[in-house]
Amino acid sequence: MSTTQPAAPAPTGRAELLGFDNVEMTFPDGTVALQGVDLSLKRGEFVTVVGPSGCGKSTLLRIASGLETASNGSVHLATDRIGYVFQDATLLPWRTTRSNVELLAELHGESKARRTQEAQEAIDLVGLSGFEDHLPRQLSGGMKMRASLARSLTLDPEVFLFDEPFGALDEITRERLNDELIRLFDEKKFAGLFITHSVSEAVYLSTRVIVMSGRPGTFVGEYEVPFDMPRDPEIRFTREYAELVGEISHALREAH
Ligand code: ADP
């Protein structure tokens, strides 16, 4: 049975941008990917979901974006400015960085002058200035991901979804991009929903970390992250950080 009740009102003064109320996802072949999922995401929150492979994390993001419709429960999305970044940068190989970054604005029918300006601002924000005329094959993995981030930034997203965007990168590049993403989050104050397999990355990036159980995925733990934004990279070497990573890793092992 489908419930039509609106998501619960936000407990704080900040507006809820994305709300899940008792969401379930059963695919036509009978696979139950999600069950009883409640989520409230407000502006200025960065929430990361960790969970075993196949537990329904990507499905959660696809439902949040509207690409997929939940089979039960209700989803409330208070904006149409949604950014979505995937593990694959999904750049068009024949387009330059600038032209790839302009793509979404082009599809929205924006004028050439406007989209060129927006693309340049986004390229500068992600640190790709000087690479505007390069083709994707001339960029490193980290640079491609920066271009992918820039392309979404041109939408000025209020809700920003990230499906393991840095999973394929080496550790140093990943840490650098984590810092860039935190800087962007601190500047733009969007609502972030991020997926990763790395508990350390989850704690470093997030204001809140959610642990999902194995399929059917449901939330089995939530952890507020107490460190200030923007993050000081040195927190990674503190005892408090290591203890939180340890606690969440333990919960994740139990969730399998
Ligand atoms: P995760 O991102 O956590 O690895 P997914 O959300 O991709 O997991 O998938 C959750 C489960 O749903 C998996 O068992 C997957 O095989 C299944 N699944 C995903 N999409 C479909 C689909 N369109 N039809 C049937 N099963 C699907």
Side-chain angles (χ1 to χ4, degrees), residues 27 29 31 33 52-59 62 215:
F27 288 106
D29 68 357
T31 304
S53 275
C55 75
K57 302 182 294 297
S58 298
T59 303
R62 283 204 301 276
R215 189 160 61 81

PDB file of all heavy atoms in Angstrom, residues 27 29 31 33 52-59 62 215, ligand 1:
ATOM      1  N   PHE A  27      11.832  -4.377  -7.067  1.00  0.00           N
ATOM      2  CA  PHE A  27      11.908  -4.372  -8.526  1.00  0.00           C
ATOM      3  C   PHE A  27      10.921  -5.396  -9.093  1.00  0.00           C
ATOM      4  O   PHE A  27      10.500  -6.320  -8.377  1.00  0.00           O
ATOM      5  CB  PHE A  27      13.344  -4.666  -8.976  1.00  0.00           C
ATOM      6  CG  PHE A  27      14.284  -3.517  -8.723  1.00  0.00           C
ATOM      7  CD1 PHE A  27      15.224  -3.566  -7.702  1.00  0.00           C
ATOM      8  CD2 PHE A  27      14.198  -2.365  -9.499  1.00  0.00           C
ATOM      9  CE1 PHE A  27      16.076  -2.502  -7.457  1.00  0.00           C
ATOM     10  CE2 PHE A  27      15.055  -1.287  -9.265  1.00  0.00           C
ATOM     11  CZ  PHE A  27      15.982  -1.357  -8.239  1.00  0.00           C
ATOM     12  N   ASP A  29      11.250  -7.935 -10.774  1.00  0.00           N
ATOM     13  CA  ASP A  29      11.624  -9.355 -10.644  1.00  0.00           C
ATOM     14  C   ASP A  29      11.513  -9.853  -9.195  1.00  0.00           C
ATOM     15  O   ASP A  29      11.878 -10.980  -8.891  1.00  0.00           O
ATOM     16  CB  ASP A  29      13.046  -9.580 -11.175  1.00  0.00           C
ATOM     17  CG  ASP A  29      14.113  -8.920 -10.307  1.00  0.00           C
ATOM     18  OD1 ASP A  29      13.768  -8.233  -9.323  1.00  0.00           O
ATOM     19  OD2 ASP A  29      15.314  -9.094 -10.609  1.00  0.00           O
ATOM     20  N   THR A  31      13.043  -8.519  -6.519  1.00  0.00           N
ATOM     21  CA  THR A  31      14.173  -8.116  -5.667  1.00  0.00           C
ATOM     22  C   THR A  31      13.754  -6.938  -4.786  1.00  0.00           C
ATOM     23  O   THR A  31      13.333  -5.901  -5.296  1.00  0.00           O
ATOM     24  CB  THR A  31      15.390  -7.672  -6.523  1.00  0.00           C
ATOM     25  OG1 THR A  31      15.728  -8.728  -7.411  1.00  0.00           O
ATOM     26  CG2 THR A  31      16.580  -7.314  -5.655  1.00  0.00           C
ATOM     27  N   ALA A  33      15.076  -4.129  -2.792  1.00  0.00           N
ATOM     28  CA  ALA A  33      16.353  -3.430  -2.620  1.00  0.00           C
ATOM     29  C   ALA A  33      16.346  -2.561  -1.370  1.00  0.00           C
ATOM     30  O   ALA A  33      17.367  -2.454  -0.685  1.00  0.00           O
ATOM     31  CB  ALA A  33      16.654  -2.591  -3.855  1.00  0.00           C
ATOM     32  N   PRO A  52      27.094  -2.551   2.678  1.00  0.00           N
ATOM     33  CA  PRO A  52      27.665  -3.606   1.839  1.00  0.00           C
ATOM     34  C   PRO A  52      27.244  -3.474   0.380  1.00  0.00           C
ATOM     35  O   PRO A  52      26.199  -2.885   0.094  1.00  0.00           O
ATOM     36  CB  PRO A  52      27.095  -4.899   2.437  1.00  0.00           C
ATOM     37  CG  PRO A  52      26.216  -4.515   3.559  1.00  0.00           C
ATOM     38  CD  PRO A  52      26.200  -3.041   3.719  1.00  0.00           C
ATOM     39  N   SER A  53      28.046  -4.016  -0.530  1.00  0.00           N
ATOM     40  CA  SER A  53      27.713  -3.987  -1.959  1.00  0.00           C
ATOM     41  C   SER A  53      26.350  -4.617  -2.186  1.00  0.00           C
ATOM     42  O   SER A  53      26.020  -5.631  -1.575  1.00  0.00           O
ATOM     43  CB  SER A  53      28.738  -4.806  -2.744  1.00  0.00           C
ATOM     44  OG  SER A  53      29.821  -4.006  -3.036  1.00  0.00           O
ATOM     45  N   GLY A  54      25.555  -3.988  -3.044  1.00  0.00           N
ATOM     46  CA  GLY A  54      24.260  -4.554  -3.407  1.00  0.00           C
ATOM     47  C   GLY A  54      23.162  -4.291  -2.390  1.00  0.00           C
ATOM     48  O   GLY A  54      22.067  -4.839  -2.493  1.00  0.00           O
ATOM     49  N   CYS A  55      23.423  -3.425  -1.384  1.00  0.00           N
ATOM     50  CA  CYS A  55      22.406  -3.216  -0.341  1.00  0.00           C
ATOM     51  C   CYS A  55      21.368  -2.174  -0.755  1.00  0.00           C
ATOM     52  O   CYS A  55      20.383  -1.965  -0.059  1.00  0.00           O
ATOM     53  CB  CYS A  55      23.043  -2.842   0.994  1.00  0.00           C
ATOM     54  SG  CYS A  55      23.657  -1.152   1.071  1.00  0.00           S
ATOM     55  N   GLY A  56      21.587  -1.485  -1.870  1.00  0.00           N
ATOM     56  CA  GLY A  56      20.564  -0.546  -2.331  1.00  0.00           C
ATOM     57  C   GLY A  56      20.972   0.918  -2.288  1.00  0.00           C
ATOM     58  O   GLY A  56      20.133   1.806  -2.423  1.00  0.00           O
ATOM     59  N   LYS A  57      22.277   1.188  -2.170  1.00  0.00           N
ATOM     60  CA  LYS A  57      22.736   2.589  -2.049  1.00  0.00           C
ATOM     61  C   LYS A  57      22.472   3.377  -3.345  1.00  0.00           C
ATOM     62  O   LYS A  57      21.959   4.496  -3.302  1.00  0.00           O
ATOM     63  CB  LYS A  57      24.233   2.633  -1.701  1.00  0.00           C
ATOM     64  CG  LYS A  57      24.573   1.894  -0.414  1.00  0.00           C
ATOM     65  CD  LYS A  57      26.039   1.980  -0.062  1.00  0.00           C
ATOM     66  CE  LYS A  57      26.974   1.288  -1.029  1.00  0.00           C
ATOM     67  NZ  LYS A  57      26.793  -0.180  -1.151  1.00  0.00           N
ATOM     68  N   SER A  58      22.834   2.779  -4.487  1.00  0.00           N
ATOM     69  CA  SER A  58      22.603   3.488  -5.760  1.00  0.00           C
ATOM     70  C   SER A  58      21.104   3.647  -6.015  1.00  0.00           C
ATOM     71  O   SER A  58      20.666   4.674  -6.539  1.00  0.00           O
ATOM     72  CB  SER A  58      23.229   2.720  -6.926  1.00  0.00           C
ATOM     73  OG  SER A  58      24.607   2.641  -6.743  1.00  0.00           O
ATOM     74  N   THR A  59      20.348   2.634  -5.631  1.00  0.00           N
ATOM     75  CA  THR A  59      18.888   2.714  -5.782  1.00  0.00           C
ATOM     76  C   THR A  59      18.352   3.896  -4.972  1.00  0.00           C
ATOM     77  O   THR A  59      17.495   4.656  -5.439  1.00  0.00           O
ATOM     78  CB  THR A  59      18.243   1.386  -5.308  1.00  0.00           C
ATOM     79  OG1 THR A  59      18.823   0.320  -6.061  1.00  0.00           O
ATOM     80  CG2 THR A  59      16.748   1.392  -5.489  1.00  0.00           C
ATOM     81  N   ARG A  62      19.064   6.989  -6.902  1.00  0.00           N
ATOM     82  CA  ARG A  62      18.214   7.103  -8.099  1.00  0.00           C
ATOM     83  C   ARG A  62      16.800   7.527  -7.714  1.00  0.00           C
ATOM     84  O   ARG A  62      16.169   8.324  -8.403  1.00  0.00           O
ATOM     85  CB  ARG A  62      18.205   5.779  -8.881  1.00  0.00           C
ATOM     86  CG  ARG A  62      19.486   5.564  -9.689  1.00  0.00           C
ATOM     87  CD  ARG A  62      19.272   4.617 -10.860  1.00  0.00           C
ATOM     88  NE  ARG A  62      18.810   3.318 -10.422  1.00  0.00           N
ATOM     89  CZ  ARG A  62      19.603   2.342  -9.998  1.00  0.00           C
ATOM     90  NH1 ARG A  62      20.910   2.516  -9.980  1.00  0.00           N
ATOM     91  NH2 ARG A  62      19.098   1.200  -9.602  1.00  0.00           N
ATOM     92  N   ARG A 215      21.079  -6.302   1.823  1.00  0.00           N
ATOM     93  CA  ARG A 215      19.780  -6.269   1.164  1.00  0.00           C
ATOM     94  C   ARG A 215      18.739  -7.127   1.891  1.00  0.00           C
ATOM     95  O   ARG A 215      19.064  -8.251   2.263  1.00  0.00           O
ATOM     96  CB  ARG A 215      19.978  -6.769  -0.277  1.00  0.00           C
ATOM     97  CG  ARG A 215      18.790  -6.598  -1.150  1.00  0.00           C
ATOM     98  CD  ARG A 215      19.201  -6.632  -2.597  1.00  0.00           C
ATOM     99  NE  ARG A 215      19.815  -7.884  -2.986  1.00  0.00           N
ATOM    100  CZ  ARG A 215      19.125  -8.976  -3.295  1.00  0.00           C
ATOM    101  NH1 ARG A 215      17.826  -8.972  -3.281  1.00  0.00           N
ATOM    102  NH2 ARG A 215      19.752 -10.078  -3.639  1.00  0.00           N
TER     103      ARG A 215
HETATM  104  P1  ADP B   1      24.514  -0.832  -4.181  1.00  0.00           P
HETATM  105  O1  ADP B   1      24.568   0.513  -4.820  1.00  0.00           O
HETATM  106  O2  ADP B   1      24.362  -0.754  -2.691  1.00  0.00           O
HETATM  107  O3  ADP B   1      25.667  -1.721  -4.559  1.00  0.00           O
HETATM  108  P2  ADP B   1      22.173  -1.184  -5.871  1.00  0.00           P
HETATM  109  O4  ADP B   1      21.272  -0.101  -5.398  1.00  0.00           O
HETATM  110  O5  ADP B   1      22.896  -0.979  -7.153  1.00  0.00           O
HETATM  111  O6  ADP B   1      23.183  -1.574  -4.691  1.00  0.00           O
HETATM  112  O7  ADP B   1      21.317  -2.518  -6.006  1.00  0.00           O
HETATM  113  C1  ADP B   1      20.579  -3.053  -4.897  1.00  0.00           C
HETATM  114  C2  ADP B   1      20.028  -4.420  -5.271  1.00  0.00           C
HETATM  115  O8  ADP B   1      19.004  -4.254  -6.240  1.00  0.00           O
HETATM  116  C3  ADP B   1      21.063  -5.346  -5.896  1.00  0.00           C
HETATM  117  O9  ADP B   1      20.817  -6.645  -5.445  1.00  0.00           O
HETATM  118  C4  ADP B   1      20.806  -5.221  -7.382  1.00  0.00           C
HETATM  119  O10 ADP B   1      21.170  -6.398  -8.045  1.00  0.00           O
HETATM  120  C5  ADP B   1      19.306  -5.002  -7.406  1.00  0.00           C
HETATM  121  N1  ADP B   1      18.852  -4.197  -8.543  1.00  0.00           N
HETATM  122  C6  ADP B   1      19.289  -2.956  -8.891  1.00  0.00           C
HETATM  123  N2  ADP B   1      18.615  -2.513  -9.973  1.00  0.00           N
HETATM  124  C7  ADP B   1      17.732  -3.498 -10.308  1.00  0.00           C
HETATM  125  C8  ADP B   1      16.748  -3.664 -11.333  1.00  0.00           C
HETATM  126  N3  ADP B   1      16.516  -2.695 -12.225  1.00  0.00           N
HETATM  127  N4  ADP B   1      16.033  -4.810 -11.353  1.00  0.00           N
HETATM  128  C9  ADP B   1      16.257  -5.793 -10.459  1.00  0.00           C
HETATM  129  N5  ADP B   1      17.169  -5.705  -9.447  1.00  0.00           N
HETATM  130  C10 ADP B   1      17.896  -4.583  -9.388  1.00  0.00           C
END
